[in-house]
C-alpha cells in the first residue's frame, strides 16, 4: 500500500466553498461529509483539504492563528474526526494543507515575539533593524509591495513573504522546527494520510539578506534570495522521515516555480513524494506545443523514483475551462484536457467544480472581492494612477476569487450549496451536478467514465510511455504494462483530422461521442478537440 498514491485520483476541496452543512453560508465539515458518497461515486481516492485551522482568514485560512484547532466556520474537532472516519470508511484518503512557512500575525507565538526584543520567542520570526532609516533590503512580497513591516513599539521590521498578516517563521531556530514538527505529529496521530506543504520552497531565506536583483528587461524583481535556499531540502528530508514513519502516508509540495529543474529537486526518495507541476498546470492559454514539451521534459528529467503531477486547476488560478476557452468549443476543450490529466503519466488532481465545468467568477464590485491578493492589486493600481474600472480589471486578473465560488450542486437560489447567501458571490449560470448526473453527454459523466477506465486499466495509471509524440497539433501517447497497451489521441485542432493506427485497436472512450463502434479500428477521423482512448487488440490477459 505504500505507493497507493501512484494510482490515486485526488480531488481538491476549497474549504469554505464546497458545501454548507450548518446554514451559515460557509462550507464546513458537516457539508463535506454529506457529499462523500458523491466523491466516492465520482471515483475519488484522495481528498486534499485547504486549511481549516483557526484563522482570521486574511488569506482565506493560509494565515493560521492556531494549528491545533478547527476554525469555528468549518465546525468542531468532532466534525473533523467524523469526516475523517467517514472518508476512510469509503476508502478515501485525506491529505491536509499545512502552512509551515508562516503564521498569522494573530498567532500567540507572534504576539509574544513582537511584545519585546528580549522575549524568548523574538527569534521565532525574522526581525531586522532599519538600514539607513529604511527597510533592511529591497525584498518584495509575493503579493505586491514591500516584504518588510515596521513595528513602532520595538523599532524593528519583521519579514513577510506574503501578506503583512502572514509572518515568516525563522526556520534557522531549532525551537521553531520542533514546534512545527509537533503540529504535524498531532494531525498524523489524528489519522490524516499526509500533507500538502504550502509554499515549501520559501521555508528559508538568504541569511545575510542581500538585495534581490532587478530584471533589466521587465524591471521586475527576481526572487533569488528569498526562496529555494540552502538548507530547505535538509528540512524536507526530515519532514519526509517523520511523515513516512506513519503507514501509507503521502507528501505533496507546493513549490513556487514553473522551472522544472527547480521543481524536480524537491521530490523523490527521502523528499516529497510529488510536487505540483506548475511548469504544466499553470499555463495561461491552450498551447499544445507547450503542453507537449512539458510532458516530454518531465519524462526526460524525472528519475525512476520521481513521479509528475497532472492538474490544470486549483484555488490559486483561473478555472481551466475559462482559461483555455475556444469559442463554441468550451466543453470539448475541457474534456480534451481532462482526458490528458487522467491518462497521461502522473498523479492527477481535480479541482472541485471542474468536473461539472464550473466557470470563472468575475467580481464586479471591489467591496465584494474576498481575496487579499486581488485587493492588494486593486490598491496598487489606484496608487499607480489608474481609474477605478481599470483597477478592478487588475484585481480580477491578480485575484483568486475567480475559482472560489460555491460548488453548484442544484438549481436552487444558492445552487444547493447553502440555504442562505454564501460568503462569496455566485455566478449567473445553470451548471449543476443535478443537471448532469443522468446526462450521458455531460462533463460529470465523462469524468466518471475516464476515472473508471483509469482504475480498470493499470497501464493508464502506472504504465510507461512507449511513445509520446505531437504531429500537426494531434498529440498521441502509448502507455503500456504487462497486461495492456493503451493509445490516447488528443486533437487540438479546430478541424477534423484523420489518424491511422499501426495495429487493430478497440475504441474504449471518446470525449465527443457517446458510443463508438467497438471493433478493430485501423483508421478513424478525429472530431475537433476530440480525445479518443484506444486499446491494442492483444487486450488484457
Amino acid at each position: 500500500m505504500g505507493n497507493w498514491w501512484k494510482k490515486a485520483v485526488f480531488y481538491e476541496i476549497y474549504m469554505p466553498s464546497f458545501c454548507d452543512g450548518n446554514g451559515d453560508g460557509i462550507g464546513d465539515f458537516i457539508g463535506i461529509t454529506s457529499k462523500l458518497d458523491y466523491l466516492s461515486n465520482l471515483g475519488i481516492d484522495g481528498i486534499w483539504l485547504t486549511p481549516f485551522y483557526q484563522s482570521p482568514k486574511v488569506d482565506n485560512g493560509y494565515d493560521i492563528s492556531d494549528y491545533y484547532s478547527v476554525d469555528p466556520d468549518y465546525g468542531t474537532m468532532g466534525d473533523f474526526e467524523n469526516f475523517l472516519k467517514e472518508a476512510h470508511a469509503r476508502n478515501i484518503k485525506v491529505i491536509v494543507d499545512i502552512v509551515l512557512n508562516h503564521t498569522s500575525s494573530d498567532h500567540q507565538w507572534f504576539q509574544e515575539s513582537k511584545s519585546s526584543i528580549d522575549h524568548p520567542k523574538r527569534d521565532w520570526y525574522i526581525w531586522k533593524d532599519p538600514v539607513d532609516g529604511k527597510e533592511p533590503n529591497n525584498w518584495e512580497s509575493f503579493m505586491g509591495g514591500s516584504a518588510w513591516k515596521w513595528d513602532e513599539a520595538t523599532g524593528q521590521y519583521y519579514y513577510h513573504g506574503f501578506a503583512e498578516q502572514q509572518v515568516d517563521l525563522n526556520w534557522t531556530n531549532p525551537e521553531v522546527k520542533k514546534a512545527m514538527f509537533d503540529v504535524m505529529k498531532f494531525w498524523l496521530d489524528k489519522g490524516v494520510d499526509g500533507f500538502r506543504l504550502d509554499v515549501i520552497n520559501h521555508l528559508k531565506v538568504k541569511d545575510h539578506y542581500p538585495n534581490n536583483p532587478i530584471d533589466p528587461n521587465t524591471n521586475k524583481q527576481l526572487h533569488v534570495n528569498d526562496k529555494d535556499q540552502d538548507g530547505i531540502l535538509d528540512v524536507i528530508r526530515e519532514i519526509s522521515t517523520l511523515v513516512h514513519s506513519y503507514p501509507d502516508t503521502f507528501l505533496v509540495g507546493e513549490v513556487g516555480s514553473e522551472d522544472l529543474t527547480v521543481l524536480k529537486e524537491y521530490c523523490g526518495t527521502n523528499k516529497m513524494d510529488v510536487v505540483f507541476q506548475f511548469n504544466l498546470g499553470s499555463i495561461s492559454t491552450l498551447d499544445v506545443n507547450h503542453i507537449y514539451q512539458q510532458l516530454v521534459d518531465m519524462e526526460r528529467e524525472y528519475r525512476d523514483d520521481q513521479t509528475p503531477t497532472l492538474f490544470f486547476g486549483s484555488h490559486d488560478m483561473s478555472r481551466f475551462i475559462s482559461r483555455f476557452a475556444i469559442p463554441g468549443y468550451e466543453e470539448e476543450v475541457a474534456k480534451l484536457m481532462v482526458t490528458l490529466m487522467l491518462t497521461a503519466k502522473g498523479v492527477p488532481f481535480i479541482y472541485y467544480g471542474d468536473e461539472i465545468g464550473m466557470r470563472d467568477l468575475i467580481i464586479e464590485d471591489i467591496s465584494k472581492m474576498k481575496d487579499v491578493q486581488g485587493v492588494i492589486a486593486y490598491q496598487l493600481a489606484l496608487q499607480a494612477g489608474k481609474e477605478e474600472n481599470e483597477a478592478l480589471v487588475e484585481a480580477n486578473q491578480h485575484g483568486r476569487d475567480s475559482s472560489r465560488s460555491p460548488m453548484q450542486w442544484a438549481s436552487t437560489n444558492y445552487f444547493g450549496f447553502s440555504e442562505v447567501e454564501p460568503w462569496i458571490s455566485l455566478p449567473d449560470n445553470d451548471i449543476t451536478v443535478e443537471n448532469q448526473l443522468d446526462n450521458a453527454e455531460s462533463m460529470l459523466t465523462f469524468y466518471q467514465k475516464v476515472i473508471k477506465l483509469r482504475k480498470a486499466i493499470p497501464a493508464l495509471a502506472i504504465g510507461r510511455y512507449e511513445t509520446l509524440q505531437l504531429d500537426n497539433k494531434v498529440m498521441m501517447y502509448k502507455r503500456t504494462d504487462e497486461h495492456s497497451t493503451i493509445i490516447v489521441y488528443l486533437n487540438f485542432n479546430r478541424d477534423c483530422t484523420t489518424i491511422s493506427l499501426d495495429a487493430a485497436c478497440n475504441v474504449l472512450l471518446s470525449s465527443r461521442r457517446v458510443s463508438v463502434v467497438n471493433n478493430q479500428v485501423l483508421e478513424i477521423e478525429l472530431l475537433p478537440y476530440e480525445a479518443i482512448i484506444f486499446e491494442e487488440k492483444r487486450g488484457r490477459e
Side-chain angles (χ1 to χ4, degrees):
M1 277 291 288
N3 288 335
W4 61 269
W5 51 268
K6 289 188 176 180
K7 294 182 179 180
V9 176
F10 286 91
Y11 187 96
E12 180 191 352
I13 290 178
Y14 189 65
M15 280 297 305
S17 294
F18 193 62
C19 184
D20 173 18
N22 65 0
D24 63 358
I26 303 169
D28 50 43
F29 281 115
I30 293 174
I32 297 172
T33 305
S34 74
K35 299 298 184 182
L36 283 172
D37 285 341
Y38 165 81
L39 295 175
S40 181
N41 291 335
L42 182 57
I44 299 305
D45 303 293
I47 293 170
W48 154 29
L49 294 174
T50 58
F52 52 84
Y53 319 96
Q54 182 85 42
S55 168
K57 301 189 196 64
V58 170
D59 189 18
N60 282 59
Y62 284 89
D63 49 321
I64 299 171
S65 55
D66 183 357
Y67 287 86
Y68 291 99
S69 66
V70 173
D71 192 282
D73 280 346
Y74 306 136
T76 64
M77 186 64 79
D79 293 335
F80 168 79
E81 290 167 347
N82 183 59
F83 154 74
L84 191 63
K85 176 174 70 92
E86 292 296 329
H88 287 163
R90 292 163 176 80
N91 294 314
I92 297 175
K93 305 278 191 180
V94 176
I95 310 303
V96 300
D97 218 319
I98 194 89
V99 186
L100 303 177
N101 168 259
H102 53 256
T103 74
S104 165
S105 54
D106 285 1
H107 197 292
Q108 181 64 29
W109 298 343
F110 185 68
Q111 292 299 309
E112 294 176 29
S113 180
K114 77 171 189 174
S115 66
S116 162
I117 284 180
D118 300 321
H119 194 282
K121 282 196 174 66
R122 183 67 171 184
D123 191 48
W124 280 42
Y125 295 86
I126 298 170
W127 292 93
K128 290 292 162 191
D129 290 325
V131 174
D132 299 327
K134 296 187 294 187
E135 289 89 347
N137 60 27
N138 73 342
W139 291 359
E140 293 176 355
S141 158
F142 288 86
M143 288 186 172
S146 172
W148 297 96
K149 177 70 175 177
W150 176 250
D151 179 58
E152 190 71 43
T154 58
Q156 285 188 318
Y157 287 92
Y158 69 79
Y159 174 67
H160 59 93
F162 296 89
E164 66 183 56
Q165 299 91 344
Q166 295 170 286
V167 195
D168 277 54
L169 286 159
N170 176 16
W171 272 81
T172 62
N173 185 328
E175 292 179 0
V176 167
K177 186 171 83 171
K178 181 185 182 304
M180 297 312 286
F181 273 56
D182 286 345
V183 167
M184 288 186 280
K185 288 175 189 173
F186 174 82
W187 292 103
L188 288 164
D189 288 341
K190 283 277 180 193
V192 304
D193 301 292
F195 299 105
R196 180 259 193 190
L197 303 180
D198 184 61
V199 293
I200 195 63
N201 62 321
H202 295 253
L203 211 57
K204 293 190 175 185
V205 296
K206 190 74 81 180
D207 57 9
H208 56 287
Y209 303 93
N211 282 339
N212 276 329
I214 305 298
D215 186 330
N217 297 316
T218 64
N219 205 34
K220 290 185 177 180
Q221 184 165 126
L222 298 172
H223 291 277
V224 172
N225 300 307
D226 48 0
K227 65 175 187 173
D228 301 311
Q229 295 303 306
D230 291 343
I232 293 178
L233 289 179
D234 293 332
V235 178
I236 286 173
R237 289 185 186 98
E238 291 185 61
I239 292 171
S240 175
T241 298
L242 166 66
V243 172
H244 291 121
S245 70
Y246 290 75
D248 299 333
T249 45
F250 174 61
L251 268 180
V252 53
E254 181 198 27
V255 175
S257 176
E258 295 181 12
D259 185 342
L260 183 60
T261 59
V262 172
L263 293 168
K264 72 174 188 176
E265 292 302 315
Y266 287 87
C267 63
T269 304
N270 300 324
K271 299 179 188 175
M272 291 179 289
D273 295 306
V274 298
V275 297
F276 287 117
Q277 271 1 113
F278 291 112
N279 58 304
L280 175 64
S282 62
I283 60 171
S284 57
T285 56
L286 189 69
D287 181 347
V288 65
N289 293 307
H290 179 82
I291 293 167
Y292 171 71
Q293 191 58 54
Q294 296 309 313
L295 293 177
V296 169
D297 290 349
M298 290 188 293
E299 179 65 8
R300 184 186 67 242
E301 294 284 343
Y302 270 19
R303 305 181 307 266
D304 288 345
D305 68 324
Q306 295 176 305
T307 305
T309 53
L310 296 163
F311 76 101
F312 295 102
S314 82
H315 65 280
D316 280 334
M317 61 182 70
S318 166
R319 288 194 178 271
F320 76 85
I321 193 169
S322 297
R323 204 162 79 236
F324 299 155
I326 303 292
Y329 291 99
E330 287 87 348
E331 290 209 356
E332 287 81 1
V333 169
K335 289 178 180 178
L336 183 75
M337 296 307 292
V338 78
T339 305
L340 171 69
M341 189 171 78
L342 289 164
T343 65
K345 187 175 177 182
V347 179
F349 283 78
I350 296 167
Y351 184 54
Y352 86 95
D354 280 352
E355 76 273 21
I356 57 171
M358 280 174 57
R359 269 49 168 196
D360 273 351
L361 173 69
I362 305 299
I363 301 297
E364 297 176 353
D365 178 348
I366 193 63
S367 69
K368 294 185 177 180
M369 182 158 281
K370 302 296 183 181
D371 179 35
V372 62
Q373 196 163 292
V375 173
I376 290 172
Y378 180 83
Q379 293 167 342
L380 291 174
L382 290 181
Q383 290 169 20
K386 296 194 174 180
E387 298 292 329
E388 285 190 20
N389 61 328
E390 295 175 308
L392 187 59
V393 170
E394 296 251 342
N396 274 293
Q397 286 175 346
H398 295 282
R400 297 165 296 181
D401 285 357
S402 60
S403 61
R404 298 177 176 183
S405 53
M407 179 67 175
Q408 297 171 209
W409 296 103
S411 302
T412 66
N413 283 346
Y414 306 117
F415 286 120
F417 164 78
S418 178
E419 294 179 357
V420 300
E421 187 173 349
W423 71 280
I424 192 171
S425 301
L426 292 161
D428 181 20
N429 61 52
D430 60 353
I431 297 165
T432 66
V433 171
E434 182 182 63
N435 290 341
Q436 296 189 25
L437 270 176
D438 299 318
N439 180 350
E441 298 183 36
S442 72
M443 185 77 68
L444 178 58
T445 301
F446 184 69
Y447 267 78
Q448 288 173 317
K449 286 177 179 176
V450 186
I451 294 172
K452 186 176 181 180
L453 203 59
R454 192 178 191 274
K455 291 179 182 301
I457 305 173
L460 283 174
I462 56 174
R464 63 181 179 85
Y465 283 130
E466 192 172 294
T467 308
L468 174 57
Q469 64 189 42
L470 178 66
D471 182 27
N472 191 29
K473 295 177 76 172
V474 176
M475 191 188 304
M476 184 276 275
Y477 43 88
K478 185 183 291 190
R479 299 191 66 192
T480 186
D481 66 0
E482 64 269 28
H483 300 298
S484 58
T485 297
I486 303 298
I487 304 169
V488 179
Y489 274 90
L490 305 166
N491 183 17
F492 283 83
N493 288 287
R494 193 186 282 267
D495 304 311
C496 292
T497 306
T498 300
I499 57 166
S500 299
L501 299 156
D502 294 335
C505 291
N506 293 329
V507 177
L508 298 179
L509 187 63
S510 160
S511 66
R512 293 209 54 192
R513 312 172 213 205
V514 174
S515 63
V516 182
V517 177
N518 195 19
N519 57 13
Q520 295 172 19
V521 177
L522 278 167
E523 187 175 272
I524 195 168
E525 186 176 68
L526 294 175
L527 300 173
Y529 304 108
E530 181 179 24
I532 301 188
I533 305 171
F534 301 92
E535 183 174 30
E536 279 195 359
K537 187 184 171 186
R538 71 182 175 108
R540 297 188 302 284
E541 295 159 9

